[in-house]
Amino acid sequence: MINKMYSSNLNKLALTSIFVLFLSSWISLAIPQNETRIPVDMGVVLDDLNSVRGKIWLSCIKMALSDFYFCHPHYKTRLVLNTRDSKKNVVAAAASALDLIKNHEVPAIIGPVTSMETSFVINLGDQTHVPIISFSATSPSLTSLRSSYFFQFAQNDTSQVKAISAVIKNFGWRLVVLIYIDTTYGEAIIPFLTDALQEVGIGVSYRSVISPSAADDQIANELYKLMTMQTRVFIVHMTTNLCSKLFAKAEEIGMMVEGYVWLTTNGITNRLTSMNSSVIHSMNGVIGLQTYVQKTRELEEFKLRWKRQFQKDYPHIVVAELDVFGFWAYDATFAIAMAIEQVIGTTSSFGFQKPNASNKSTDILESFPISPYGPKLCQALSTTRFPGIAGDFMLIDGQLQSSNFRIININGRGARTIGFWTPLHGLVSKMSSTNSTCHLGPVIWPGESLSVPKGWEIPTKGKKLRIGVPVRDGFTELVKVTIDPTTNTTDVTGFSIDVFKAVVDMLPYALPYEFIPFAKPDGTKAGTYNDLCYQVYLGNFDAVVGDTTIRANRSLYVDFTMPYAEAGVVMVVPVIDTNKRSAWAFFKPWQWDLWLATLISLLLVGFVVWVVQHRTNEDFQGTTAQQEVGNVIWFSFSTMVFAQRERVDTNLARFVMIIWVFVVLVLTINYQASLTSIYTVEILEPTVTNIKDLLRKGENIGYIPTAYTYEMLKQVGFEDSKLMALGTMEAIDEALSKGSANRGIAAFVDETPYMKLFLARYCNKYTMIGPIFKTDGHGFVTLQVFPKRSPLLPDVSQAVLNVTGGENIMNIENKWFKKDSNCQDFSDPKVSSNRLDFKNFRVLFFTTWVASGVALILYLVRFSYMYRDVWNSETSMLRRIGAMLGKFYEIDPSRSNQKADVVTASTNLNGTESPVLGQNWNQTNTNSVFSSDSEEQRAPSTDRASPEIATTSTESAAAVQEMHSITPAETAQ
């Protein structure tokens, strides 16, 4: 209800305004006026005044003058149109401009229509200082003339190239075909359009140039040629007349069906309303760009007024619709009228400067009059600003600033909007949207298809793909070319060929192809791999299949598929058995730091046990210092093989020995395992591991003649005299066997696949080191090389991933990478085992050292406490330390005879053992660390047991009783 009331008020306001304007104009006409009107001739050059299009544009120009002077009745100037018809002829357009300038002295000319006609007339304007204003010539070549007297009141064709590239990129197409008219209008946009496409990664696979006078047969032949190509995305830029013939013929021969993509520039879609309905029907599914004109109330009112006036002037023309060129013609006339009034309306006289009559120059241009108003008119036009019918009117460098586009999809008898493009936000669904990632609306493609075409097809009527393959002298397991001289047929086999065939089988469509060897007439190779890749760029091959490495220089002119094999540059060197060359192999299981740590631990444990056991255990007692040291060393080293005979009877010593015995057990097991592997397993080590060592020693090194590794070796610093080209496996084996000293080589450098093949045959003699080079120029072996932005590339790369990710690649590898029966698996090369070091057992050693330290500290604390009276005496420090050492070396009398008492108590009076004690002693392992040895198992020392104790039965019984009566305090000692 509110909208209806608002609309009613607007209508009333509009009627009131019209009535007031009419009344004021009637009053102004009724009042006598003394102001004079200055008629100014205005030149207009159109290409066909008898056509509907020419009548529409001329009516817009006339209506612009009528509206302008209706709004400005007091202006002094009045433009008088002098219209000329160029008849769509460049010479006629130039002649018309000459006539208007020379005979009518027009200060400005509107037109001509086409870009080619305008380019001629611009030169006349420069000579006579007459501004040339075109509302329909959109070619960027006109602005390149850099004329200060030319104004392009139409949208320049270059303003749409980024919009076109955005549309192509939105659908994911990588290649397009450009179809354009063979005129200045058609050719001028192509460099700008190509650059815009390349900026977003889209290539131009072909350029189809059609003459403006081409017959239907010529157009059909060109379209048939396009049908044999893979690309199915066509960008059309031509006049509407030629466009009508093109799409009619494309529909006739079957190119307006599913799978094809057609996109037109705004030069076609801007004039869509003037096209025949049959032509529009033939363009079903086409996407086009239209200059965006915002719908306003003023625009709609203008359309209604123009419609009424046109039907009044041309009642016999029933169908006539305005387009954006009519809007531009209206705004251009409005701007010229304003500039004329600003320049000429303020002068008292009007006229051109006549040429000097005495000048008899033969130059016809010098006889023309010069407009004195040209520079001022140019300045006035450049600064003119007003809200026009087609939008805000503003010129920058003589060009209309209008860059927004509407993207349409032609269906049925018209077009529907699927999106917009602006320089600020790119593709948007609505003009008010600011989302730069917006997608276009749904499109009905040719053939009434709703699915987006992939942009390319394998042409059923085209030729097979020409697949170039390399010719190799060696390593033919990858690619092998065999030519049958009798039948002159070529058979191509190998690992790479089988992978390619598996990839083709994975494709969802048929891919006809033929292998063409890259060879000379005599069958030898025709060049390097760089030359082979360059043949794709030149168009001699459609693709390359083989062991072609991805390199930076090659990627500049071709594209590669996904890799199917790793190809780092590696080095193959001979191997030797290092175990058979050393008599000191038993030292190899451990590193020097582990040997040192073991020695320190042995001495530390022996010393701590001796300190703890010295006073109470006669096994750790000696008559001399040398004997004491010998006991410590003997005990320490005997624990390594568990051969110690000394008993350990204190808890502190047992605590240390428990930890140390476990450490010894772990060390012994690992030492035995490593030593066994050294003497029983063949350990092969490479003769060299660094290519820098070869360079420093001046060794010879080999390479494959056609490989790029030669360049890398030269960059490292190898001289040509140290490099040897070898092409076959046999030659490589022979050179490596000789060695560098015997005119052979010390190493061979090449890519991983070739070296794997070599090691599969000679695995027992050589090993692979590397990769030794890591540069951006290589990295993988690829299956195929395609031209830049080939539409086949994504599908083939996907198929390569499917093949390499399944069992197919394993079956193909097993077929071609056969190993000799005596060879082991070269995927797990034999290398020397790692030697054990201190880091492997540092926790065990640290534990031993800490336990020994703790035991030693506890013993010293207890010993100091027992003899605190000695330490606290009032003598000097040296005397106290000497006294404490004396106490330490004293034998504990309560423990010195303990062993003899126990042994005596275990013997009966009649010379037999006590059943209980004898059983306990016999069950004790004589080699145990914690056991006490019996007198029968050890030769007794004469100074440690008296004969009387062993022979007197009563004293033996007393000894047993005394042993059982020992107090806990004495035991702790």
Side-chain angles (χ1 to χ4, degrees):
M1 185 67 183
I2 295 175
N3 292 335
K4 291 182 178 180
M5 293 176 62
Y6 180 72
S7 177
S8 176
N9 293 334
L10 286 178
N11 293 333
K12 292 179 180 180
L13 181 61
L15 291 175
T16 304
S17 300
I18 293 174
F19 174 76
V20 171
L21 288 174
F22 175 78
L23 182 61
S24 61
S25 62
W26 182 81
I27 294 174
S28 63
L29 291 175
I31 298 174
Q33 300 182 18
N34 297 324
E35 297 182 4
T36 59
R37 298 290 182 259
I38 304 175
V40 180
D41 289 335
M42 174 59 59
V44 178
V45 180
L46 301 178
D47 59 356
D48 189 1
L49 292 176
N50 294 324
S51 65
V52 176
R53 184 183 65 177
K55 291 181 172 61
I56 291 175
W57 292 346
L58 184 58
S59 67
C60 290
I61 294 173
K62 293 179 178 179
M63 181 169 286
L65 292 178
S66 176
D67 292 347
F68 179 79
Y69 293 117
F70 179 81
C71 296
H72 307 90
H74 300 290
Y75 279 7
K76 294 182 179 181
T77 57
R78 292 294 185 270
L79 292 183
V80 180
L81 299 180
N82 286 269
T83 307
R84 298 292 186 271
D85 191 349
S86 67
K87 304 295 184 183
K88 297 183 180 181
N89 186 279
V90 175
V91 177
S96 300
L98 286 172
D99 175 65
L100 291 171
I101 294 173
K102 185 176 182 179
N103 300 325
H104 296 273
E105 297 183 353
V106 293
I109 295 177
I110 298 178
V113 174
T114 66
S115 298
M116 186 175 294
E117 294 172 355
T118 305
S119 63
F120 279 86
V121 177
I122 288 174
N123 295 324
L124 296 176
D126 284 341
Q127 294 291 333
T128 59
H129 296 182
V130 175
I132 307 300
I133 297 98
S134 177
F135 62 86
S136 58
T138 59
S139 174
S141 63
L142 301 176
T143 58
S144 64
L145 298 176
R146 301 186 183 279
S147 171
S148 58
Y149 290 93
F150 171 67
F151 294 88
Q152 196 172 36
F153 282 21
Q155 200 172 38
N156 194 293
D157 285 338
T158 58
S159 60
Q160 63 182 321
V161 295
K162 291 188 178 297
I164 294 173
S165 63
V167 173
I168 300 296
K169 181 182 179 181
N170 179 75
F171 291 106
W173 301 314
R174 299 189 62 192
L175 281 178
V176 298
V177 173
L178 303 182
I179 306 175
Y180 56 95
I181 188 171
D182 190 14
T183 60
T184 304
Y185 165 73
E187 295 173 350
I189 191 179
I190 299 304
F192 299 96
L193 180 56
T194 303
D195 292 343
L197 291 171
Q198 289 179 350
E199 286 180 3
V200 294
I202 301 169
V204 178
S205 62
Y206 184 72
R207 298 181 182 183
S208 177
V209 185
I210 300 178
S211 171
S213 59
D216 290 346
D217 293 342
Q218 294 174 318
I219 296 176
N221 292 334
E222 187 65 23
L223 291 177
Y224 279 124
K225 184 190 299 184
L226 298 179
M227 290 182 68
T228 63
M229 301 178 183
Q230 295 180 1
T231 308
R232 290 292 184 264
V233 182
F234 306 109
I235 300 177
V236 182
H237 178 68
M238 55 184 57
T239 62
T240 54
N241 292 336
L242 187 59
C243 170
S244 302
K245 297 165 65 175
L246 175 74
F247 281 106
K249 189 57 64 176
E251 184 183 30
E252 179 183 336
I253 66 177
M255 294 184 69
M256 299 300 296
V257 295
E258 185 177 358
Y260 285 86
V261 178
W262 296 87
L263 192 147
T264 64
T265 59
N266 65 344
I268 297 173
T269 49
N270 280 346
R271 296 174 179 174
L272 195 64
T273 56
S274 62
M275 290 185 181
N276 191 284
S277 59
S278 61
V279 175
I280 297 176
H281 184 270
S282 67
M283 296 174 64
N284 277 341
V286 173
I287 297 177
L289 267 67
Q290 271 189 353
T291 302
Y292 173 73
V293 178
Q294 185 178 4
K295 291 184 178 181
T296 60
R297 181 174 59 85
E298 292 79 5
L299 178 62
E300 297 302 322
E301 290 179 356
F302 168 74
K303 287 182 179 180
L304 292 176
R305 291 191 296 109
W306 175 86
K307 189 74 171 178
R308 289 194 295 266
Q309 185 64 39
F310 189 82
Q311 290 179 351
K312 178 180 179 182
D313 296 338
Y314 307 100
H316 60 283
I317 300 177
V318 180
V319 179
E321 294 292 338
L322 271 175
D323 54 25
V324 70
F325 294 101
F327 302 153
W328 287 334
Y330 181 92
D331 290 342
T333 306
F334 216 91
I336 293 172
M338 293 177 66
I340 292 292
E341 176 65 24
Q342 182 179 347
V343 175
I344 301 178
T346 58
T347 61
S348 57
S349 62
F350 173 71
F352 278 26
Q353 296 178 0
K354 301 298 180 181
N356 190 356
S358 62
N359 189 359
K360 298 182 179 180
S361 175
T362 58
D363 190 351
I364 188 173
L365 291 177
E366 294 183 0
S367 63
F368 283 3
I370 305 298
S371 173
Y373 310 106
K376 293 183 179 180
L377 280 177
C378 292
Q379 180 65 27
L381 288 172
S382 299
T383 57
T384 300
R385 304 284 190 274
F386 64 91
I389 294 297
D392 292 337
F393 184 88
M394 180 178 62
L395 296 177
I396 297 179
D397 295 332
Q399 296 184 32
L400 182 67
Q401 298 304 299
S402 175
S403 301
N404 296 333
F405 292 94
R406 184 168 72 108
I407 304 170
I408 63 171
N409 180 212
I410 301 176
N411 294 111
R413 297 183 178 273
R416 60 186 183 86
T417 302
I418 61 174
F420 299 88
W421 184 90
T422 64
L424 183 60
H425 302 292
L427 292 177
V428 293
S429 57
K430 297 180 180 180
M431 282 300 297
S432 59
S433 175
T434 60
N435 185 7
S436 58
T437 60
C438 179
H439 296 285
L440 297 177
V443 179
I444 301 177
W445 303 97
E448 303 296 329
S449 174
L450 297 179
S451 58
V452 178
K454 59 183 178 181
W456 65 275
E457 295 287 346
I458 299 300
T460 57
K461 299 180 181 180
K463 57 185 178 181
K464 297 180 179 179
L465 288 179
R466 297 165 299 170
I467 306 295
V469 292
V471 176
R472 299 190 59 89
D473 296 330
F475 296 95
T476 54
E477 290 84 354
L478 295 173
V479 178
K480 182 178 182 180
V481 178
T482 306
I483 300 177
D484 190 346
T486 58
T487 60
N488 198 25
T489 58
T490 302
D491 184 28
V492 183
T493 58
F495 172 74
S496 299
I497 303 302
D498 283 357
V499 173
F500 168 71
K501 292 178 180 179
V503 167
V504 172
D505 293 339
M506 285 284 185
L507 295 176
Y509 45 80
L511 184 66
Y513 61 88
E514 59 178 342
F515 293 121
I516 303 176
F518 184 52
K520 298 178 181 178
D522 59 357
T524 60
K525 56 188 176 184
T528 64
Y529 278 78
N530 287 339
D531 300 330
L532 177 59
C533 293
Y534 197 69
Q535 296 300 312
V536 178
Y537 175 77
L538 296 177
N540 297 328
F541 293 135
D542 296 320
V544 168
V545 171
D547 50 334
T548 311
T549 305
I550 300 175
R551 298 199 67 199
N553 62 325
R554 297 172 184 172
S555 63
L556 296 176
Y557 45 86
V558 293
D559 281 339
F560 294 88
T561 62
M562 293 296 295
Y564 66 93
E566 184 182 2
V569 177
V570 297
M571 180 172 61
V572 169
V573 297
V575 293
I576 57 174
D577 186 4
T578 56
N579 292 336
K580 297 179 180 179
R581 298 192 176 196
S582 176
W584 302 91
F586 56 85
F587 280 113
K588 286 190 174 181
W590 290 356
Q591 296 280 6
W592 68 268
D593 56 349
L594 183 56
W595 284 111
L596 180 61
T598 303
L599 179 61
I600 293 174
S601 299
L602 283 171
L603 298 177
L604 176 63
V605 170
F607 174 74
V608 172
V609 173
W610 174 79
V611 170
V612 175
Q613 293 282 287
H614 173 72
R615 299 185 66 253
T616 61
N617 192 335
E618 63 182 9
D619 291 339
F620 294 91
Q621 298 169 2
T623 57
T624 64
Q626 291 83 356
Q627 189 177 4
E628 294 280 0
V629 174
N631 290 339
V632 171
I633 296 176
W634 167 256
F635 175 79
S636 300
F637 281 90
S638 63
T639 57
M640 288 295 297
V641 293
F642 304 102
Q644 71 282 348
R645 302 175 62 85
E646 293 79 5
R647 60 188 178 86
V648 178
D649 55 5
T650 63
N651 291 334
L652 288 178
R654 289 172 179 173
F655 168 70
V656 174
M657 289 303 299
I658 288 173
I659 297 175
W660 176 239
V661 167
F662 177 75
V663 174
V664 169
L665 178 63
V666 174
L667 291 175
T668 304
I669 293 174
N670 283 275
Y671 179 83
Q672 290 177 349
S674 299
L675 188 63
T676 301
S677 65
I678 289 176
Y679 281 104
T680 59
V681 178
E682 185 183 44
I683 299 178
L684 301 178
E685 291 186 354
T687 56
V688 64
T689 59
N690 194 331
I691 194 171
K692 297 292 185 180
D693 296 336
L694 297 174
L695 180 63
R696 184 178 61 257
K697 297 177 182 179
E699 302 281 358
N700 296 336
I701 193 167
Y703 67 96
I704 292 181
T706 58
Y708 60 87
T709 50
Y710 171 79
E711 302 173 1
M712 293 185 172
L713 293 174
K714 291 287 291 182
Q715 293 176 359
V716 172
F718 285 95
E719 299 178 356
D720 288 333
S721 60
K722 300 298 181 181
L723 299 178
M724 186 179 298
L726 303 169
T728 62
M729 294 187 187
E730 293 77 11
I732 298 172
D733 175 53
E734 182 180 357
L736 285 172
S737 300
K738 289 181 179 180
S740 183
N742 299 320
R743 295 183 179 181
I745 58 175
F748 189 84
V749 174
D750 203 52
E751 296 175 272
T752 303
Y754 309 109
M755 295 299 93
K756 283 186 176 182
L757 284 172
F758 179 76
L759 290 178
R761 185 179 299 181
Y762 303 103
C763 60
N764 293 325
K765 300 170 62 177
Y766 311 104
T767 188
M768 190 165 60
I769 306 297
I772 59 175
F773 290 121
K774 289 184 178 296
T775 62
D776 295 335
H778 64 279
F780 299 95
V781 173
T782 185
L783 175 63
Q784 282 196 30
V785 179
F786 284 102
K788 277 289 187 180
R789 303 176 185 86
S790 171
L792 284 171
L793 188 64
D795 289 348
V796 175
S797 294
Q798 182 62 44
V800 170
L801 294 177
N802 294 335
V803 170
T804 55
E807 297 181 357
N808 288 348
I809 192 68
M810 300 301 298
N811 297 332
I812 298 173
E813 286 182 355
N814 294 332
K815 175 182 176 181
W816 291 102
F817 290 82
K818 293 181 179 179
K819 294 174 282 189
D820 289 349
S821 58
N822 296 328
C823 280
Q824 299 179 2
D825 187 6
F826 60 81
S827 63
D828 185 17
K830 292 177 285 184
V831 296
S832 61
S833 59
N834 293 326
R835 299 171 64 185
L836 300 174
D837 58 8
F838 173 74
K839 292 181 180 180
N840 300 118
F841 305 100
R842 58 183 180 274
V843 175
L844 295 177
F845 283 110
F846 287 150
T847 304
T848 302
W849 296 344
V850 170
S852 300
V854 170
L856 182 61
I857 293 172
L858 291 177
Y859 176 80
L860 293 176
V861 171
R862 187 180 63 179
F863 179 77
S864 300
Y865 179 77
M866 290 176 58
Y867 296 98
R868 58 187 177 277
D869 54 342
V870 177
W871 181 255
N872 295 330
S873 63
E874 296 182 356
T875 61
S876 63
M877 179 63 68
L878 292 178
R879 290 181 175 276
R880 282 184 290 174
I881 293 176
M884 293 296 289
L885 290 176
K887 291 295 182 180
F888 175 76
Y889 281 106
E890 290 181 357
I891 304 301
D892 189 350
S894 62
R895 300 297 298 272
S896 61
N897 297 326
Q898 181 178 352
K899 178 181 177 181
D901 295 342
V902 174
V903 173
T904 304
S906 64
T907 308
N908 295 325
L909 291 176
N910 56 2
T912 60
E913 293 182 348
S914 172
V916 177
L917 294 177
Q919 182 180 4
N920 292 338
W921 283 106
N922 290 334
Q923 289 179 353
T924 304
N925 188 351
T926 58
N927 291 329
S928 174
V929 175
F930 311 111
S931 65
S932 59
D933 300 333
S934 64
E935 292 297 331
E936 292 78 8
Q937 293 170 332
R938 281 196 308 174
S941 177
T942 57
D943 60 344
R944 295 184 181 180
S946 63
E948 291 79 5
I949 297 177
T951 57
T952 306
S953 60
T954 57
E955 293 180 357
S956 300
V960 172
Q961 184 178 2
E962 182 181 355
M963 179 189 68
H964 287 286
S965 62
I966 295 175
T967 63
E970 294 174 340
T971 303
Q973 295 179 0

